[in-house]
Amino acid sequence: MAALGGALVVFLAGLVAWLGVRALGDVLAPPGTTAAERVPFTGGVPPTTHAWSRYHARYYTMALLFLAFDMEMVFMYPWAVVFVDEGIKALVEMLMFIAILLLGILYAWREGALEWA
Amino acid sequence: MRLGLEIAVTGLILVASVYVVAVLDLVLGRLVAAAPLRLAEAVVRPVRRGALLFLQRPPRTERPDQALWILAPALLGAIAAAVLFVMPLGPTELSQSSGMRDVDAGIVYFGALMALVMVAVYLHGWAPNSLFPMVGGYRFVALALSYEMPLALVLIGAALPARSLSIGAIVDAQAGLWNLVRQPLGLPLYLVAALGLTFRGPLNVSDAADLAGGTPAESSGVALLLWALGRNAILVAAAAMGAAGFLGGWRGPALPGPVWMVAKSLALVAVLLGVSHLVGRVRLERFVIVAWAVLIPLALLDVFAAGAVALLAGRP
Amino acid sequence: MVRGWLASLAAGAPPRVFLLEGADPPAPACLLGQNGAVEVVDAPRSATLLVVAGVLPDALLDAARLIHDQVGRPRCTVQWTHPRAPAPPVAAFPVTCTVTGSVDDLVASLIRLQADLVRGALTSEAPILPDVEPAPWRGVGPYGQGGTGMTGGVPYGRPLAETAADRDGLKLDQLAITVGPFFPPFPTGLALELRLQGDLVQHATVHPNPFQVRSLPSSDESGDEAERERDDPFGTALDRPVAIARLEMARARHHLLHLARTLRLHGLDALGRRAMSLRAGLRPGAVAPLCDLRQLLERTRGLAIGTTGAGHLAEATVRNRGLGPIARASGLAEDERVEDPAYTALGFVPVTHDGGDACARWRQRLAEAIQSVQLAARAGEARSGGAGRVEAPRGPLTRESSATASALVLLPSLLEGMEWGDAVATVVSLDLDLRDLPPASTASAGQPTAAVVAA
């Protein structure tokens, strides 16, 4: 647990370091902007709308598939630790689990979840 | 205080390696471009470019999410620092003597932190409220969801012979034979995922030239510098994990542990940078199909082959 | 003190340049990134110097002014023109420095200018456009309804996107955006009005061509002829015979420059620089470096990985449209040079590729470059031209039409339904140049003639 505590401190230290350099840069840099300087770049013509929108992330079906596999990962982590002690039984059980999920990928592929354009 | 020393060491390694990555990138670029290379110039150039960016005005667009825009590069840096903190530089007895550094479930910790890279890149794309960065951010989410699985799976394969999830134990288990040899599929798959993690070369869908630079398109000045530094830092962290998981980490004859670890990490960095200069950007949809239909089954094959080997080796 | 120390470090940094290319630049502007002494950036905000190569037509000046303001501070504008075609000063577009000369002269000036800018010896240029928000925020009232923030009316100066149906049945926001005349991967001046949902192009329209035919100032006859032949061999070949060696070397250089642009688009900057340095050192018959480059690209599949399957053009679509390498990359052996006895005497056979996608097109152009270099070595003193039709690198060129005009017609229907990455790869693979307008017919020698940019 001490390692995780140390890791948290390092994480925060990294954040602080990067933010500190950003603050330094803000101080050193020339100040001020005008409205025209803030226009987002699309090649020279100002955009007509804000970019923030309900973006059509077409890969949402693939994201669902990812959820399923992520849950499988959760099971594989402890399995990896006890696997050698448990022997061939553990291998076969995990194989069955994975086979079911692989069928899931096959189904998703056939249904076009992976091709969205 | 021991923690303070460890943090200082991690910080030093981070800063030095980010600089070395910049120099290596320049050198490899010149090699591929068949252009003359003057080492003195190559060593100073990244520093000069950084200084120039310091003197440029930081970015501002019409209605950005300024807090998240500032946070995104910092998040990359923090992730890299936290990952480098747990990379073993020497025998675990030394690291574990004070409980520092070696996390019990090292590869879970690594996977969890590297998942935040997706958050950082997405935020960096969303925050400026501009079209091209936003598209870059969304593209990267699709990529990240696809490379996460092979990344986690090959690391599990590396953990199988060690019967433990901690990185120190994984390195110890390679005392006889590197995982590169025992699990030949492991390192190539890991390198593909690492290319995606650091969105470089073929998998640079978020900072792409066809998006006018992508997520840093509206960035300038110190924000751009910090983003590039964060990206390099993630590359170093991913390479360090690869070296620990597949190349035997600090283990090696003659030279002290830290030297081997640094050398192996730099070797992987060089491989990744070389690939980024030779292979162009993939078509995202094609890559997603390849990731799910080819890379994940290969990674699963790697895991089960490693399991079978470990079982056979474990049997008296 | 810290700033002074940083400034002295930064003074030696490579200049960060954003390019605006106009009509008749002294050399293709992307050559600036050739040897790495200058960093050509993808977006103006991270640039320090704005380089205007050539003369900008009036239609593009508004966009140029906006981009000038988008360049990060400290900034400086440099105009780069031909010595014989100086740009008239444009109202409300300040230029700090004008450079006439070769690429190397420009690079030296840029390095000096950035050093001065960073040290403070040169003041940063003021913004051109007025400091006015695009639209006042209306929060409460008729049709500007709603409360604070992004939820009502015209929030923070711009409206939010409207919804539109999409082919998978979801009705999400559609962004109407003009990817403007100076989008770096696109040919200069090409503005596409797009409706994007996600990163898919649902509808694309091409804006009218901003470039008009320009005439070069007349000079004495002999100087005019020789210079015109050197700068624009294909335009000259419409009227009178030009050495085949010159034509073919120009073609090879053009294709290599386009390959460099394609490589840069796909993230292979180093290989793009290699292609540009190959182009600079190109000699008739020296095919080995080109073959090495081709072998490297094929072995690593570095460029094929991003272009295979993108922008497929069927044979039927490109037949008899005068599209040159695009048609040949779809399998049709359409080439004006086949009609020319001078070429057939050299044993010329058109190269074709199957596939019709962006991958086939860059392979086609590289193969043609290699073929051209070989032809130039064999050609000796042979001449070709004067027939009114010539096979320019982009396609057949006549006095009335050019390949770009034919290819632009295909663009809207081609881009519909494409992902953004594929769309940009397709536009680049079509090798468009909006300045490639058909030259006006020459009434008599000595008449000022129109300029066509030769790469």
Side-chain angles (χ1 to χ4, degrees):
Chain A
M1 276 320 280
L4 276 181
L8 180 63
V9 174
V10 172
F11 186 87
L12 292 173
L15 268 181
V16 166
W18 249 253
L19 293 173
V21 174
R22 174 67 195 256
L24 181 66
D26 280 343
V27 161
L28 286 174
T33 64
T34 66
E37 292 179 339
R38 290 196 290 267
V39 174
F41 173 69
T42 56
V45 177
T48 48
T49 62
H50 282 294
W52 287 346
S53 57
R54 283 167 293 183
Y55 187 99
H56 193 3
R58 288 156 206 281
Y59 45 82
Y60 60 90
T61 41
M62 187 264 286
L64 288 175
L65 191 62
F66 170 79
L67 266 180
F69 268 79
D70 220 20
M71 289 301 103
E72 169 238 328
M73 289 307 309
V74 170
F75 286 110
M76 283 189 90
Y77 280 124
W79 169 82
V81 176
V82 301
F83 164 72
V84 179
D85 300 324
E86 291 292 319
I88 196 82
K89 181 169 71 89
L91 184 67
V92 170
E93 283 178 357
M94 187 52 85
L95 255 175
M96 287 188 330
F97 182 38
I98 294 298
I100 296 172
L101 283 175
L102 277 178
L103 280 177
I105 292 189
L106 191 63
Y107 169 74
W109 192 7
R110 289 288 306 273
E111 288 293 313
L114 301 178
E115 296 165 12
W116 61 76
Chain B
M1 203 182 117
R2 185 64 191 262
L3 177 61
L5 181 67
E6 298 275 2
I7 293 181
V9 166
T10 308
L12 197 67
I13 293 176
L14 188 62
V15 169
S17 48
V18 162
Y19 169 70
V20 169
V21 166
V23 173
L24 259 181
D25 197 18
L26 188 65
V27 167
L28 287 172
R30 290 277 168 94
L31 275 177
V32 171
L37 177 67
R38 289 177 299 279
L39 203 59
E41 186 227 337
V43 166
V44 174
R45 193 171 147 130
V47 180
R48 289 197 193 276
R49 290 176 64 205
L52 177 64
L53 285 175
F54 252 108
L55 295 174
Q56 207 179 37
R57 187 194 65 199
R60 189 82 221 176
T61 52
E62 279 178 346
R63 178 63 181 95
D65 194 333
Q66 194 65 15
L68 291 179
W69 206 0
I70 296 178
L71 182 65
L75 192 56
L76 281 187
I79 294 168
V83 167
L84 281 176
F85 179 69
V86 300
M87 289 298 141
L89 285 177
T92 26
E93 306 83 55
L94 262 110
S95 317
Q96 275 177 343
S97 61
S98 63
M100 289 292 125
R101 285 190 158 264
D102 198 20
V103 176
D104 272 341
I107 55 175
V108 181
Y109 170 89
F110 176 79
L113 278 176
M114 287 310 186
L116 290 178
V117 170
M118 176 175 86
V119 173
V121 177
Y122 177 76
L123 287 181
H124 198 238
W126 175 258
N129 195 358
S130 170
L131 174 74
F132 294 126
M134 187 176 77
V135 173
Y138 273 101
R139 272 197 202 174
F140 186 75
V141 172
L143 182 76
L145 294 178
S146 306
Y147 73 63
E148 287 286 349
M149 298 309 311
L151 184 68
L153 282 173
V154 295
L155 286 176
I156 285 185
L160 276 173
R163 307 186 203 185
S164 163
L165 296 174
S166 84
I167 302 177
I170 293 178
V171 172
D172 284 338
Q174 294 180 65
L177 196 60
W178 285 359
N179 276 342
L180 174 65
V181 181
R182 271 196 295 216
Q183 301 166 12
L185 280 174
L187 190 60
L189 287 172
Y190 180 82
L191 287 178
V192 172
L195 271 177
L197 255 180
T198 182
F199 43 102
R200 221 168 264 271
L203 300 184
N204 185 9
V205 296
S206 62
D207 287 8
D210 66 2
L211 288 174
T215 58
E218 301 289 346
S219 271
S220 63
V222 71
L224 188 60
L225 175 65
L226 288 173
W227 182 251
L229 290 180
R231 202 176 161 201
N232 286 357
I234 295 285
L235 174 63
V236 172
M241 182 73 226
F246 298 97
L247 293 181
W250 54 264
R251 292 195 166 271
L255 298 169
V259 174
W260 273 122
M261 186 66 184
V262 166
K264 290 175 191 177
S265 305
L266 280 183
L268 285 186
V269 165
V271 166
L272 289 173
L273 289 176
V275 169
S276 76
H277 281 297
L278 287 175
V279 182
R281 192 172 54 250
V282 297
R283 295 176 67 203
L284 183 58
E285 201 187 329
R286 282 266 297 268
F287 176 76
V288 166
I289 294 175
V290 164
W292 285 92
V294 174
L295 294 186
I296 289 185
L298 279 180
L300 288 168
L301 180 67
D302 175 61
V303 167
F304 287 114
V309 166
L311 267 183
L312 289 172
R315 206 167 290 182
Chain C
M1 193 267 288
V2 175
R3 191 173 289 173
W5 173 69
L6 278 175
S8 61
L9 262 181
R16 301 179 70 93
V17 164
F18 188 76
L19 293 171
L20 295 182
E21 204 169 341
D24 199 24
C30 54
L31 286 180
L32 214 48
Q34 187 175 330
N35 53 10
V38 161
E39 241 182 281
V40 178
V41 298
D42 293 319
R45 238 176 260 283
S46 55
T48 352
L49 301 173
L50 184 67
V51 169
V52 180
V55 179
L56 290 176
D58 292 331
L60 292 181
L61 282 177
D62 283 331
R65 288 191 190 107
L66 182 60
I67 291 195
H68 171 274
D69 280 359
Q70 286 176 332
V71 173
R73 295 189 198 179
R75 63 174 158 244
C76 171
T77 312
V78 176
Q79 173 98 43
W80 185 38
T81 48
H82 256 303
R84 67 167 192 273
V90 178
F93 195 91
V95 164
T96 301
C97 176
T98 305
V99 175
T100 60
S102 67
V103 178
D104 296 323
D105 295 336
L106 180 63
V107 169
S109 308
L110 291 175
I111 293 175
R112 184 178 42 85
L113 273 172
Q114 179 166 281
D116 286 341
L117 202 59
V118 151
R119 283 202 205 94
L122 190 62
T123 46
S124 167
E125 282 174 14
I128 303 175
L129 297 175
D131 186 7
V132 171
E133 295 284 345
W137 181 65
R138 294 182 308 151
V140 177
Y143 316 122
Q145 318 300 104
T148 55
M150 305 293 287
T151 53
V154 183
Y156 296 97
R158 289 199 199 280
L160 291 175
E162 296 289 325
T163 57
D166 199 356
R167 60 191 182 193
D168 64 356
L170 291 174
K171 206 169 176 218
L172 293 167
D173 288 350
Q174 187 182 63
L175 287 172
I177 205 151
T178 306
V179 175
F182 297 116
F183 183 60
F186 282 177
T188 180
L190 179 67
L192 288 179
E193 205 170 302
L194 299 168
R195 291 209 288 270
L196 292 174
Q197 238 198 55
D199 70 341
L200 204 89
V201 176
Q202 290 197 307
H203 186 79
T205 329
V206 181
H207 273 204
N209 193 339
F211 289 99
Q212 292 136 13
V213 171
R214 251 192 89 240
S215 50
L216 291 169
S218 57
S219 44
D220 62 291
E221 269 193 23
S222 56
D224 189 38
E225 294 278 318
E227 244 183 275
R228 195 178 150 229
E229 187 175 307
R230 197 173 47 241
D231 285 343
D232 178 20
F234 296 99
T236 321
L238 284 176
D239 305 319
R240 55 185 180 77
V242 176
I244 286 186
R246 173 159 294 183
L247 285 175
E248 292 307 312
M249 291 307 286
R251 188 190 313 274
R253 283 195 201 97
H254 173 104
H255 285 325
L256 276 178
L257 190 66
H258 186 259
L259 181 68
R261 278 203 202 104
T262 311
L263 286 166
R264 209 199 133 121
L265 170 68
H266 284 93
L268 298 170
D269 287 347
L271 284 176
R273 291 207 303 275
R274 185 172 179 160
M276 283 199 266
S277 56
L278 278 183
R279 174 187 183 275
L282 209 58
R283 285 179 346 270
V287 166
L290 291 179
C291 290
D292 286 341
L293 181 63
R294 177 161 69 174
Q295 196 176 46
L296 182 63
L297 287 175
E298 296 294 347
R299 276 235 193 96
T300 57
R301 296 191 55 76
L303 197 49
I305 206 170
T307 47
T308 310
H312 179 79
L313 279 171
E315 244 187 68
T317 325
V318 297
R319 190 186 295 274
N320 289 332
R321 278 179 179 265
L323 287 173
I326 301 172
R328 293 196 283 280
S330 297
L332 301 166
E334 289 178 2
D335 197 325
E336 294 293 326
R337 292 174 282 175
V338 166
E339 323 257 316
D340 196 334
Y343 275 100
T344 43
L346 293 172
F348 169 77
V349 173
V351 180
T352 58
H353 281 75
D354 286 321
D357 55 8
C359 188
R361 282 179 224 130
W362 71 257
R363 282 192 178 128
Q364 172 71 27
R365 292 195 181 98
L366 189 52
E368 283 190 15
I370 293 175
Q371 183 190 45
S372 293
V373 172
Q374 287 165 334
L375 276 175
R378 289 206 300 265
E381 291 303 315
R383 304 192 137 242
S384 154
R389 294 182 71 87
V390 74
E391 179 75 15
R394 294 195 176 92
L397 184 66
T398 65
R399 292 200 187 88
E400 293 86 34
S401 69
S402 70
T404 297
S406 324
L408 272 180
V409 169
L410 293 175
L411 208 54
S413 53
L414 188 59
L415 290 183
E416 206 168 302
M418 267 196 197
E419 245 185 311
W420 181 249
D422 288 348
V424 179
T426 305
V427 171
V428 170
S429 75
L430 291 180
D431 194 6
L432 303 167
D433 189 345
L434 294 185
R435 299 161 296 181
D436 192 12
L437 298 166
S441 58
T442 50
S444 58
Q447 188 77 269
T449 49
V452 172
V453 176

